[in-house]
Amino acid sequence: MGHIHEVSVREATAQDREAIAELMLEAYSQYAAVMPELSWKEYSSSIRESAYGDRPKARIIAEIDGQIVGSVQLFLSSEAAYGKPELGIESPIIRLLAVSPNARGRGIATLLIQESIRRSLELGASTLNLHTSDMMASAIQLYEKLGFQRAYETDIDNGDHLVKGFRLDLDQLQFRQNAVS
């Protein structure tokens, strides 16, 4: 029998930032082929900058054998996440969920989202938000499976494509958890 490698989830440290930037770029590079070149350059630059910026409330990483294989950032508002207070989101938002292509299919994205949900509940939030686009079809399937629903009023049209808003109602989630226990 092969050795099962356990995934651990923890808060990132400042020393993890370059590895997180590389991981996010590796994970998102598959979209370079379907984006206009200038858009990809801007997107990849913003991805790298986000690994070093001070706007996230939390940077959560997943590791296997000490190697970072996944990450997600948790922001407290649409202003912090996107510089867009006009979206009116004053609750946690997850951004830049990334899993190394070599580690996909192991439930790492789900673990990172579950940790984001746990932290959002700790903060007393009633919703957890995210944004994605149709080119990320497998991500959308996962979000919907985990209970996220479209939040049309938070959609962003960035010119190239529609960035769709999704929201998870944590109050309903809490109710379901309490009903089960």
Side-chain angles (χ1 to χ4, degrees):
M1 284 244 213
H3 179 67
I4 296 174
H5 299 278
E6 191 169 324
V7 179
S8 61
V9 176
R10 67 171 173 84
E11 181 71 22
T13 66
Q15 291 76 26
D16 296 322
R17 289 187 176 187
E18 182 57 28
I20 292 168
E22 294 299 324
L23 167 77
M24 289 189 299
L25 288 168
E26 175 193 27
Y28 281 85
S29 67
Q30 73 189 71
Y31 304 113
V34 297
M35 294 177 79
E37 187 177 346
L38 181 60
S39 295
W40 170 249
K41 283 184 178 176
E42 290 171 358
Y43 192 44
S44 61
S45 176
S46 77
I47 288 171
R48 176 168 282 289
E49 288 169 19
S50 75
Y52 291 93
D54 59 2
R55 294 187 303 166
K57 167 73 174 161
R59 284 185 180 84
I60 305 164
I61 59 171
E63 293 179 312
I64 297 175
D65 296 334
Q67 289 291 113
I68 296 173
V69 295
S71 71
V72 69
Q73 296 179 15
L74 187 66
F75 294 82
L76 295 182
S77 68
S78 55
E79 183 171 11
Y82 310 112
K84 293 184 177 289
E86 66 273 15
L87 286 179
I89 302 171
E90 293 295 329
S91 64
I93 298 171
I94 56 175
R95 282 203 66 208
L96 296 168
L97 174 64
V99 176
S100 169
N102 300 330
R104 290 183 182 159
R106 298 186 193 180
I108 292 166
T110 300
L111 287 173
L112 290 167
I113 293 168
Q114 288 171 336
E115 179 63 12
S116 299
I117 291 168
R118 188 187 70 73
R119 290 179 186 217
S120 297
L121 287 167
E122 273 183 4
L123 292 167
S126 60
T127 61
L128 176 61
N129 299 269
L130 63 86
H131 287 84
T132 191
S133 65
D134 287 338
M135 70 179 172
M136 299 177 186
S138 61
I140 291 173
Q141 285 180 327
L142 174 63
Y143 301 143
E144 289 175 339
K145 178 181 159 198
L146 294 175
F148 284 84
Q149 296 181 343
R150 284 285 279 118
Y152 295 94
E153 70 282 4
T154 66
D155 287 357
I156 304 167
D157 185 350
N158 71 5
D160 290 329
H161 55 275
L162 181 66
V163 182
K164 296 179 175 181
F166 285 81
R167 178 180 304 117
L168 180 65
D169 184 339
L170 298 175
D171 292 338
Q172 290 299 108
L173 183 72
Q174 187 75 359
F175 174 75
R176 283 199 304 269
Q177 288 176 339
N178 289 343
V180 172
S181 46

